[in-house]
Amino acid sequence: MSAADLLAKWNACGYYRLVGMTVVHADAASSELRITIRDEHLQAYGSAHGGIVAGLVDAAMGLAVLGGIAAEEGCATIQMTTNFTAPATPGPLTAIGRTLHPGRRIVVASAEARGADGRLVAVGQGTFQRFPLGASA
Amino acid sequence: MSAADLLAKWNACGYYRLVGMTVVHADAASSELRITIRDEHLQAYGSAHGGIVAGLVDAAMGLAVLGGIAAEEGCATIQMTTNFTAPATPGPLTAIGRTLHPGRRIVVASAEARGADGRLVAVGQGTFQRFPLGASA
Amino acid sequence: MSAADLLAKWNACGYYRLVGMTVVHADAASSELRITIRDEHLQAYGSAHGGIVAGLVDAAMGLAVLGGIAAEEGCATIQMTTNFTAPATPGPLTAIGRTLHPGRRIVVASAEARGADGRLVAVGQGTFQRFPLGASA
Amino acid sequence: MSAADLLAKWNACGYYRLVGMTVVHADAASSELRITIRDEHLQAYGSAHGGIVAGLVDAAMGLAVLGGIAAEEGCATIQMTTNFTAPATPGPLTAIGRTLHPGRRIVVASAEARGADGRLVAVGQGTFQRFPLGASA
């Protein structure tokens, strides 16, 4: 699968379309994902629900992992940790994912999400399992 | 705020309605939340995106925390960890949240999410900060 | 390896002897480990360093995992999260570990550490990888 | 407290002396800690116990936090996550800590631990609470 095909595949999936999240690029060095926080993403206090922010962080890490492994492989999030450092208020939110440890079976990645003003909104660290795409998906 | 008002407030927020998540109950002992996984929640491999599962786990922990503090207080997720133990395939998914440590400022909670067959789909542990509702929301 | 041999093997290792930590039992249901916090475990503020508490929590989870898999297998901590809920002051500290998800390759466990008065000192959640003992150790 | 006093205070505490861990520097930009893995740090499989590695990662994050706040303040680890990416075999192990989010009450930090050959052994992310030193220690 080419890099363009990878992006197209993910941008077309149900979750990305439901929440309006887009992967902008993904390669062996990093990934970049974007979402614009709107009313439909908010919890009862007026900022984006943790699920939206954690989903963006998860996706940024996962796409960074996918950008660094073979096209015939997929990856599954085994575990992820997210620190929420500021409320994700309505407006653009961008996440950059990076692979920290490209293991043969387990890959460790991190991601940062920032608002339009550059303020850090969340930072995550995650554990991903590689699998052959033919077998599991 | 009564327990019924708490549930109504959260069930009416944008995120819960966007993803179709419902809080069934929340008190000092535990919380219960439900979602039915559908196509719109899926990632590219055919199971629910991590954001949906993490959002459910976050909400179950947060509502358990809210069920155990004063009605004039809110809580914010500072940090959460989720282990994904099985794919969340289409169908019902239920999460039970519990408070592990009811601190005066920091509360620690956990949650488990299970499919209709009882299979464990995810387990989380999180760190929540209490705040007076008048001040921040 | 019998359960008694498993305990003897771990209680004899360098780290357990250095810090004075003991595994009391470990089976498929749970594990129990003990340490008595002394001056040599303290950080600069007078309670046990995070490394001592995290090490106890890691060990309680790891022994619970080992208690539930074949004697010819080992396990390695891939990732662990610890919430520190109260200072671990000098005196006895006991941790109970439990397996949450006994996967074929990845096992998820949790542990709680409590002081002599029953107060919760720490709670952890961890991700463990199983491996055949002959191959890796 | 001067930076030199801060280092001296921590290097003199019981835990650092028990395990042979040293803080080399700590300022607002980063911290550096060192330990030489020896037999007394090992678990039953021949590499350093998770408690030693997690303790080093915790300390690197904590000293980075302390290097960036006022001398009259302390910090406590509320929560930490560690990914173990390679066995910590006997020999030098160095950790670099960095502050990711210098909040007024809650600070988020990360740390990486590497062996003498530069191999990544562990990476952590942690949540720290600031407190006035006169009040709590």
Side-chain angles (χ1 to χ4, degrees), chain B residues 15-38:
Chain B
Y15 180 75
Y16 279 51
R17 289 188 297 166
L18 176 68
V19 303
M21 186 166 81
T22 308
V23 47
V24 180
H25 84 83
D27 57 37
S30 68
S31 72
E32 180 178 348
L33 282 92
R34 292 187 193 156
I35 191 172
T36 297
I37 303 300
R38 292 186 300 262

Side-chain angles (χ1 to χ4, degrees), chain D residues 49-94:
Chain D
H49 193 273
I52 291 294
V53 177
L56 183 72
V57 166
D58 179 23
M61 295 191 293
L63 269 294
V65 173
L66 290 175
I69 61 179
E72 300 76 27
E73 285 185 286
C75 74
T77 314
I78 295 178
Q79 175 276 336
M80 66 177 292
T81 293
T82 309
N83 270 267
F84 302 91
T85 54
T89 48
L93 190 61
T94 302

Side-chain angles (χ1 to χ4, degrees), chain C residues 27-102:
Chain C
D27 57 36
S30 68
S31 72
E32 180 177 348
L33 282 92
R34 291 187 193 155
I35 192 172
T36 298
I37 303 301
R38 293 187 299 262
D39 287 354
E40 68 206 56
H41 301 121
L42 307 186
Q43 25 83 308
Y45 305 135
S47 57
H49 193 273
I52 291 294
V53 178
L56 183 73
V57 167
D58 179 24
M61 296 191 292
L63 268 296
V65 174
L66 290 175
I69 61 181
E72 301 76 28
E73 285 185 285
C75 74
T77 315
I78 296 178
Q79 175 276 336
M80 68 177 290
T81 292
T82 310
N83 271 265
F84 302 91
T85 53
T89 48
L93 189 64
T94 300
I96 305 292
R98 287 191 181 85
T99 292
L100 300 178
H101 174 72

Side-chain angles (χ1 to χ4, degrees), chain A residues 15 42 78 80-82 84, chain B residues 14-15 42 78 80-82 84:
Chain A
Y15 180 75
L42 306 186
I78 296 178
M80 67 176 291
T81 293
T82 309
F84 302 91
Chain B
Y15 180 75
L42 307 185
I78 295 178
M80 68 176 290
T81 292
T82 310
F84 302 91

Side-chain angles (χ1 to χ4, degrees), chain B residues 115-134:
Chain B
D117 55 359
R119 188 159 72 148
L120 187 69
V121 163
V123 57
Q125 184 172 307
T127 314
F128 294 80
Q129 188 164 29
R130 298 166 61 167
F131 60 84
L133 269 185

